[in-house]
Amino acid sequence: MYSLLLLLAIAFEIAGTTALKASAGFSKPTPTVVMVVCYLLCFALLGLSLKGLDVSVAYAVWSGLGTAAIAIIGFAVFHEEVNPIKVGCIVLIVVGVVGLNLNASGHAPPPPAAPAPTPAAAAPAVPAAAAASAASAAAAEPAAGHAPPTAPSATQLSGD
C-alpha cells in the first residue's frame, strides 16, 4: 500500500512539473492551477507513504523516477535536446533507484522506545526541616574572610 502511495505521488509530481512547464512562467491560469493541485497531492501522498517506507529510499525513488520521467517528457513533448550524456545520466538515475530498491528493507523502522525511568539516586533522606535549617544557617554565617554582601546606597545607584 505504501509503495502504491509513493507511485501516485510520483505521478502527481510528474503531472505537476509538466503543468509547470506548460504554465509559461505562471502566465497561463489553467496549467498553473493544475500544477498547484498536483503538487499538493504529490506531497500529501509522499508524506503518507513515509509512514511505511524508509525516507532514504522513498525520497530517492520519488525524486529519481520523477526526474527521469520529466527528462523523457522534455525530450518527447517539449522537444528538448537529446544527447548521449543526458541519456546516460538518466540511465544512471534509474540504475540508482533500482539499486536502492533491491537493497531496501521496504519498511520504516519502528520509532525508538522511550527510555526507562531511572530510579532516584540512592542518597540518604534528609528531613525537610533539617535541610531548611542547614540552608538558613549557611546563609546567616558569612564564609571565612568574606564580608556579607550589602545593598548599594542611594548615592551609589545615582552615580554621584
Side-chain angles (χ1 to χ4, degrees), residues 9-52:
I10 293 167
F12 280 110
E13 189 264 337
I14 293 166
T17 304
T18 304
L20 177 63
K21 174 70 174 174
S23 76
F26 306 114
S27 64
K28 296 179 181 177
T30 302
T32 299
V33 170
V34 169
M35 179 218 49
V36 169
V37 169
C38 286
Y39 279 161
L40 287 173
L41 290 169
C42 161
F43 284 107
L45 291 165
L46 178 61
L48 291 172
S49 75
L50 294 179
K51 285 182 163 184

Side-chain angles (χ1 to χ4, degrees), residues 39-155:
Y39 279 161
L40 287 173
L41 290 169
C42 161
F43 284 107
L45 291 165
L46 178 61
L48 291 172
S49 75
L50 294 179
K51 285 182 163 184
L53 298 173
D54 294 336
V55 69
S56 58
V57 174
Y59 187 77
V61 169
W62 175 79
S63 62
L65 291 182
T67 300
I70 286 299
I72 293 167
I73 290 170
F75 303 150
V77 176
F78 298 112
H79 310 291
E80 295 175 357
E81 177 190 351
V82 180
N83 63 45
I85 293 175
K86 286 182 180 180
V87 171
C89 290
I90 292 169
V91 168
L92 289 174
I93 290 170
V94 173
V95 167
V97 168
V98 169
L100 281 171
N101 278 307
L102 291 175
N103 192 35
S105 66
H107 299 288
T118 57
V126 177
S133 162
S136 64
E141 296 178 20
H146 292 65
T150 58
S153 68
T155 346

